[in-house]
Amino acid sequence: MGFYVALVHYPVLDKQGQSVATSITNLDIHDIARSSRTYGIEKFFVVNPIPGQQWFAHRVIEHWLEGFGAEYNWTRKEAMQITKVVGDLEEVADDILCDADLPIVFIATTARKMPQQISFELLRKKFGQEPAHYCIVFGTGWGLHPSLLMDIDYTLEPIVGVGDYNHLSVRAASAIILDRLFSPHFDPDRHSI
Amino acid sequence: MGFYVALVHYPVLDKQGQSVATSITNLDIHDIARSSRTYGIEKFFVVNPIPGQQWFAHRVIEHWLEGFGAEYNWTRKEAMQITKVVGDLEEVADDILCDADLPIVFIATTARKMPQQISFELLRKKFGQEPAHYCIVFGTGWGLHPSLLMDIDYTLEPIVGVGDYNHLSVRAASAIILDRLFSPHFDPDRHSI
């Protein structure tokens, strides 16, 4: 049993609701790798099928794993050790299944309220009660394409702000979601104040 | 009464524990402005005393407020409307006091456990019980310099991960902290499953 994170660059939506592939952003890799490492995630998958984009992501990761960066900043090295570049969610599943043979449960994230979304609390309970490999899937651009949502087991309720503005970056949203799902701060038996 | 966020670039620590001024990062402005706007923050202050750095931050903000960006992406425009560049925390206080005359309470954030830190729960209670202008202060680099902590009213407990790795980016840490302090998700009277 383990927890995984996937950042999907294709198929995602653009501003007009069309299917596109987005470019990999250097700071997405850094931030989400560090957040994943902080919350005990086994592997962080950067999902992009385009060879030139995969090459770029590999270069960033290798710089911090083996290049000058490894010596300069070990906190980034440790985060990059769990980061892997793949082409699609099938490759994510193959990679996870190499490790053990529990079922894989994919959980999509979205900024939109939709029917039948699972709450943070219920998903956290499932983690404790139903052994599986859980993979939390984040979309870049304007969110995951609906065709991808069909292969997904659950869609997580969105983060809701104080007013009607709700436009977090994927770096911020993934940090909040990992915190709510995995932080010991929210353990029910935690001593409060 | 209102809530404010300040991102400090000087005085902060470098890797060796020396006092330095850090450069402003484009995505820090974007991410923290959008997180602030999502959680109902009145103003997000980018704190940097260096004129060239202030000029850079102004250019980024103006691009999204008035330039091509304003038309291209209104969600960034709305976030930039609450973003202001200042030189130090005194300027932050002056700016806040222009609005009303409640006391200002500065709350520092840190990744380190230290004595007498305030918990997330207790600070949230204070918000409800003690009317004031509350300003949450984040440090860049390797964290706020101790000299700055002396002018601060409270230091917030750190975010703790699942293991001993705890190296979130300031973009991720600020998102998590704003979520824990301001999200309606954590209202005690919220219906829970």
Side-chain angles (χ1 to χ4, degrees), chain A residues 62-126:
Chain A
E62 271 159 31
H63 172 79
W64 294 103
L65 275 185
E66 293 158 26
F68 169 73
E71 229 171 285
Y72 180 73
N73 191 330
W74 66 267
T75 66
R76 297 205 175 174
K77 182 178 177 178
E78 286 210 5
M80 290 305 178
Q81 279 167 344
I82 61 162
T83 305
K84 183 160 184 177
V85 185
V86 295
D88 54 29
L89 287 187
E90 230 169 289
E91 273 187 60
V92 169
D94 288 346
D95 192 284
I96 295 175
L97 287 177
C98 276
D99 291 345
D101 78 335
L102 284 167
I104 302 180
V105 176
F106 281 106
I107 299 127
T109 58
T110 172
R112 282 176 284 273
K113 261 205 191 334
M114 298 190 294
Q116 296 183 303
Q117 288 175 323
I118 191 168
S119 71
F120 286 94
E121 291 80 0
L122 193 55
L123 185 54
R124 229 180 133 116
K125 267 191 201 156
K126 267 188 199 295

Side-chain angles (χ1 to χ4, degrees), chain A residues 31-186:
Chain A
D31 282 18
I32 302 176
R34 288 161 70 185
S35 296
S36 295
R37 185 72 184 73
T38 296
Y39 289 104
I41 299 300
E42 303 280 333
K43 257 184 207 171
F44 162 44
F45 296 98
V46 178
V47 183
N48 195 313
I50 299 171
Q53 287 288 313
Q54 293 199 352
W55 174 84
F56 168 74
H58 280 301
R59 260 201 71 183
V60 172
I61 294 167
E62 271 159 31
H63 172 79
W64 294 103
L65 275 185
E66 293 158 26
F68 169 73
E71 229 171 285
Y72 180 73
N73 191 330
W74 66 267
T75 66
R76 297 205 175 174
K77 182 178 177 178
E78 286 210 5
M80 290 305 178
Q81 279 167 344
I82 61 162
T83 305
K84 183 160 184 177
V85 185
V86 295
D88 54 29
L89 287 187
E90 230 169 289
E91 273 187 60
V92 169
D94 288 346
D95 192 284
I96 295 175
L97 287 177
C98 276
D99 291 345
D101 78 335
L102 284 167
I104 302 180
V105 176
F106 281 106
I107 299 127
T109 58
T110 172
R112 282 176 284 273
K113 261 205 191 334
M114 298 190 294
Q116 296 183 303
Q117 288 175 323
I118 191 168
S119 71
F120 286 94
E121 291 80 0
L122 193 55
L123 185 54
R124 229 180 133 116
K125 267 191 201 156
K126 267 188 199 295
F127 292 164
Q129 292 167 353
E130 298 172 21
H133 293 300
Y134 290 94
C135 181
I136 321 290
V137 183
F138 297 96
T140 53
W142 290 70
L144 296 165
H145 192 270
S147 66
L148 190 142
L149 294 180
M150 294 196 305
D151 298 328
I152 284 268
D153 300 280
Y154 297 104
T155 302
L156 185 63
E157 64 173 326
I159 297 165
V160 176
V162 165
D164 52 3
Y165 182 97
N166 178 19
H167 300 280
L168 297 165
S169 72
V170 72
R171 297 167 291 281
S174 58
I176 291 167
I177 288 172
L178 294 184
D179 185 58
R180 288 191 187 179
L181 292 178
F182 301 109
S183 172
H185 188 78
F186 302 115

Side-chain angles (χ1 to χ4, degrees), chain B residues 68-89:
Chain B
F68 169 73
E71 226 171 287
Y72 180 73
N73 191 330
W74 66 268
T75 67
R76 299 205 173 174
K77 182 177 176 177
E78 285 209 6
M80 291 304 178
Q81 279 166 345
I82 61 162
T83 306
K84 183 159 185 179
V85 185
V86 295
D88 54 29
L89 288 188

Side-chain angles (χ1 to χ4, degrees), chain B residues 93-162:
Chain B
D94 288 347
D95 192 286
I96 294 174
L97 287 177
C98 276
D99 292 345
D101 77 337
L102 284 169
I104 302 179
V105 177
F106 281 108
I107 299 126
T109 58
T110 171
R112 281 177 286 273
K113 260 204 189 341
M114 297 191 295
Q116 296 182 305
Q117 289 176 323
I118 190 168
S119 70
F120 286 94
E121 291 80 359
L122 193 56
L123 185 54
R124 230 181 132 116
K125 268 192 197 154
K126 266 187 199 297
F127 293 163
Q129 293 166 353
E130 298 171 21
H133 293 301
Y134 290 94
C135 182
I136 321 289
V137 183
F138 297 95
T140 53
W142 290 70
L144 296 164
H145 191 270
S147 65
L148 190 144
L149 294 180
M150 294 195 306
D151 298 327
I152 284 267
D153 300 280
Y154 297 103
T155 302
L156 184 62
E157 63 173 327
I159 298 164
V160 176
V162 165

Side-chain angles (χ1 to χ4, degrees), chain B residues 31-96:
Chain B
D31 282 18
I32 302 176
R34 288 160 70 185
S35 296
S36 296
R37 185 73 184 72
T38 296
Y39 289 105
I41 299 300
E42 302 281 332
K43 256 184 208 171
F44 162 44
F45 296 99
V46 178
V47 183
N48 194 315
I50 298 171
Q53 286 289 312
Q54 293 199 351
W55 174 86
F56 168 74
H58 281 300
R59 259 201 72 183
V60 172
I61 294 168
E62 271 158 31
H63 171 78
W64 295 102
L65 275 184
E66 293 158 26
F68 169 73
E71 226 171 287
Y72 180 73
N73 191 330
W74 66 268
T75 67
R76 299 205 173 174
K77 182 177 176 177
E78 285 209 6
M80 291 304 178
Q81 279 166 345
I82 61 162
T83 306
K84 183 159 185 179
V85 185
V86 295
D88 54 29
L89 288 188
E90 231 170 287
E91 273 187 60
V92 170
D94 288 347
D95 192 286
I96 294 174

